[in-house]
Amino acid sequence: MQISHLSAECVPFAKTGGLGDVVGALPKFLAARGHDLSVFLPFHLEAANWFRKRDTWPETAVEPYDVWVYGHKYTVGLLKSLLPGSLVPTYFVAQDELFHRGSIYAGNENGEDDGLWRFTFFVRAAVEGMKRLGMRPDVIHSHDWHPALAPMLGAWQSWREPWWDTVASVLTVHNIAYQGVYPLSEFPILGLPDGVAHGGNVEFGGALNLLKGALVAADMINAVSPTYARELMTRDGGFGLDGILRSRGERVTGILNGIDTAVWNPSTDTLIAANYDAADLTGRDACRAELCRVAGFEAGDPGFILGAVGRLTSQKGFDLLLSTVPELTRRGIRIVMLGSGEPALEESMRRLESQTKGRFRAFVGYDESGAHKIEAGVDAFVMPSRFEPCGLSQMYSLAYGTPPIVRRTGGLADSVNGFDGGNLDTATGFVFEDASAHALAASVLFAQRVFFHKELWGRIVSNGMAQDFSWSRSAERYETLYRKAREVRGLPW
Ligand code: ADP
Ligand code: GLC
């Protein structure tokens, strides 16, 4: 099959979280199964800098061409490179005014959110690029709300453009908390037929909701874990869009993400102090010692060290973790945390660090190499997420021999088997139910007790390291999803 991915993020060119990891990995594994893959991305400043740092530049894919958005003409440069470690062509839609910005999701020069405008441009430019390249994908696979216009063009525009007649659409929901909501008066920017504005297509709660439009229009939809697919259809999990997801129930499925073992693998990772694998964990000691040095912890202290990495948003529940820091550190636990996001949480991290010197270390910022060092160097990794569509960090920590302590939600529930005192043959980590500081602290303290029973802990570590979270398994499920999308393409639902 010919499959084109459309996304705002893709590792290593542009990433704020797991979306980038997924789009940078899945296409490689699909290509390895014999499919014809391509990825289309905006040429963000971050991507341009990635090339500059390596003293290289993507090649020109086609002659520059014009794309119109609501009467405004843009000239597009379509650039081409390969997804590192593969032969998958990655096409960059270059337009400095719209994408040459300090961060991927930054607003325009007045600080305004012009996401509707620039991602409309992105999709139109990518589709025009495909046509100029002589491509006509069997499936256009869109990720989250940014390329939402693509499934909408497929469903509601085909009478105008026969090119779409054979193109099926798949939408992956990585996080329904982000929907791309704009005033309904901005609908004309999309350039869709007027009738689409109403009748429950893209309108939701009196506003224009891009993700909703894509959920209505896509031939098939998937969430990034089976549990999240079910949670999306509930009032708590659907962020208002549960009704539309329920009504499309037969077209919705859940596929657990994989991890890219070329990047996240303790036996080859070049960002950690020493390599190791399940058969010989000695290298972990050096990783732990390095972590202690970087964090300013006493390396000879055998006490339990907890790590956390992630975006600081209420989704991740780091406020719960921060509120337990005084108690946990009093009980001999040391904690290292890396994250950036909400200023209030960044501020609490800094404050706690100054109050709990030598026991709580806060790294405020984004640091790829720091994330690897934490995964390999701490004793356990904590994710107290309020909701977690899939979560990749807990799978990285399983692969790194660092048992995760997670809340039972979304993909965390699907990937971590909690130790209950009896299931030593299968337990891979620790799982708690309530999104409360109390439940989190109880789970961490239980893990701390188990940690000092070296034999028990060793079993949990090796069970975790034996798990197969490779993309090969999930890539096969995506193949089935694509086939289904082609079968149901254009059929009423
Ligand atoms: P989400 O996509 O919701 O942020 P995931 O667990 O799927 O959560 O993916 C998070 C990814 O982003 C992981 O690769 C993690 O290491 C990385 N990450 C998040 N915050 C940071 C940070 N501050 N520094 C380095 N890496 C980070
Ligand atoms: C989202 C989710 C995260 C998921 C990632 C990749 O950002 O928050 O849980 O792992 O997408 O699918």
Side-chain angles (χ1 to χ4, degrees):
M1 271 182 278
Q2 192 178 107
I3 304 144
S4 292
H5 288 256
L6 260 60
S7 172
E9 297 185 29
C10 174
V11 156
F13 308 115
K15 159 175 169 177
T16 66
L19 169 64
D21 288 339
V22 170
V23 179
L26 173 61
K28 293 196 280 193
F29 287 83
L30 288 164
R33 297 177 67 83
H35 301 291
D36 179 2
L37 265 291
S38 57
V39 179
F40 286 79
L41 303 170
F43 198 47
H44 298 291
L45 176 59
E46 188 176 326
N49 286 340
W50 188 88
F51 286 101
R52 279 194 195 105
K53 233 187 247 163
R54 283 156 188 81
D55 231 351
T56 127
W57 201 245
E59 64 189 68
T60 303
V62 291
E63 285 303 305
Y65 52 91
D66 292 339
V67 163
W68 293 81
V69 177
Y70 197 45
H72 192 104
K73 186 173 90 170
Y74 290 100
T75 301
V76 184
L78 192 72
L79 305 175
K80 179 186 171 190
S81 180
L82 296 178
L83 209 51
S86 77
L87 294 175
V88 174
T90 307
Y91 295 98
F92 297 98
V93 170
Q95 215 302 317
D96 284 359
E97 189 190 328
L98 299 177
F99 299 123
H100 212 67
R101 296 187 181 174
S103 63
I104 301 177
Y105 301 117
N108 64 16
E109 71 274 11
N110 302 321
E112 294 152 355
D113 174 1
D114 58 349
L116 170 64
W117 185 280
R118 62 196 199 119
F119 288 109
T120 292
F121 163 78
F122 166 61
V123 171
R124 291 200 171 271
V127 169
E128 182 58 31
M130 290 176 197
K131 292 176 185 166
R132 283 168 191 257
L133 289 161
M135 286 168 60
R136 197 175 184 184
D138 297 306
V139 177
I140 291 187
H141 185 161
S142 302
H143 296 268
D144 275 352
W145 72 266
H146 318 94
L149 177 60
M152 293 194 252
L153 286 173
W156 298 323
Q157 188 76 323
S158 44
W159 57 275
R160 280 190 188 160
E161 293 185 65
W163 185 84
W164 286 98
D165 287 352
T166 59
V167 181
S169 62
V170 165
L171 172 73
T172 296
V173 179
H174 294 261
N175 194 332
I176 205 154
Y178 304 99
Q179 300 180 356
V181 178
Y182 295 91
L184 198 54
S185 56
E186 293 184 11
F187 173 80
I189 293 172
L190 291 171
L192 289 167
D194 291 344
V196 172
H198 301 285
N201 292 314
V202 293
E203 183 264 329
F204 183 71
L208 171 59
N209 186 313
L210 289 172
L211 188 65
K212 180 181 177 202
L215 290 172
V216 174
D219 294 311
M220 287 299 290
I221 299 161
N222 81 296
V224 287
S225 70
T227 296
Y228 193 54
R230 288 191 296 276
E231 290 171 350
L232 284 177
M233 298 190 202
T234 66
R235 200 182 327 177
D236 282 348
F239 282 74
L241 298 180
D242 42 299
I244 175 72
L245 276 146
R246 281 196 299 276
S247 71
R248 299 224 59 194
E250 288 186 2
R251 303 283 186 95
V252 182
T253 176
I255 303 177
L256 192 72
N257 287 331
I259 65 175
D260 189 346
T261 44
V263 181
W264 291 95
N265 183 343
S267 63
T268 53
D269 194 331
T270 53
L271 299 172
I272 59 178
N275 293 120
Y276 58 89
D277 58 23
D280 181 3
L281 288 165
T282 11
R284 264 189 73 86
D285 296 340
C287 295
R288 193 179 194 270
E290 187 193 30
L291 191 268
C292 287
R293 187 180 53 73
V294 176
F297 293 164
E298 170 57 56
D301 181 342
F304 194 46
I305 305 180
L306 204 57
V309 178
R311 294 180 295 114
L312 303 176
T313 66
S314 82
Q315 169 190 346
K316 301 289 174 183
F318 288 136
D319 51 319
L320 305 176
L321 177 64
L322 291 170
S323 68
T324 60
V325 166
E327 181 189 351
L328 296 179
T329 51
R330 247 194 331 271
R331 307 260 202 143
I333 294 170
R334 288 168 295 166
I335 303 167
V336 53
M337 192 172 160
L338 164 64
S340 62
E342 283 171 21
L345 290 171
E346 294 187 350
E347 191 37 47
S348 315
M349 281 170 69
R350 293 197 185 93
R351 199 186 52 245
L352 277 166
E353 178 174 86
S354 68
Q355 290 167 353
T356 336
K357 279 232 157 14
R359 307 213 67 80
F360 177 73
R361 182 70 162 102
F363 292 102
V364 176
Y366 188 90
D367 176 8
E368 196 73 33
S369 130
H372 285 247
K373 288 183 186 8
I374 291 176
E375 293 283 8
V378 299
D379 299 316
F381 190 89
V382 65
M383 290 179 74
S385 307
R386 290 195 167 79
F387 69 95
E388 194 60 77
C390 178
L392 298 171
S393 298
Q394 81 283 7
M395 296 196 267
Y396 300 150
S397 65
L398 288 166
Y400 279 65
T402 306
I405 303 173
V406 304
R407 187 168 165 259
R408 191 188 308 283
T409 180
L412 301 177
D414 292 340
S415 55
V416 182
N417 190 18
F419 181 50
D420 61 12
N423 57 347
L424 253 196
D425 287 343
T426 56
T428 57
F430 299 83
V431 178
F432 61 96
E433 301 287 336
D434 295 343
S436 72
H438 177 73
L440 164 63
S443 193
V444 171
L445 292 170
F446 175 49
Q448 182 193 25
R449 282 202 304 282
V450 177
F451 175 68
F452 288 113
H453 291 274
K454 290 300 167 198
E455 215 183 298
L456 294 188
W457 192 260
R459 291 281 295 280
I460 295 172
V461 166
S462 65
N463 290 343
M465 291 182 92
Q467 301 290 306
D468 175 14
F469 288 120
S470 68
W471 267 110
S472 324
R473 212 180 41 164
S474 305
E476 201 176 321
R477 302 207 167 118
Y478 272 101
E479 244 169 30
T480 310
L481 181 68
Y482 296 147
R483 254 184 254 117
K484 185 92 193 284
R486 292 189 54 68
E487 273 164 38
V488 299
R489 204 214 149 268
L491 294 179
W493 48 275

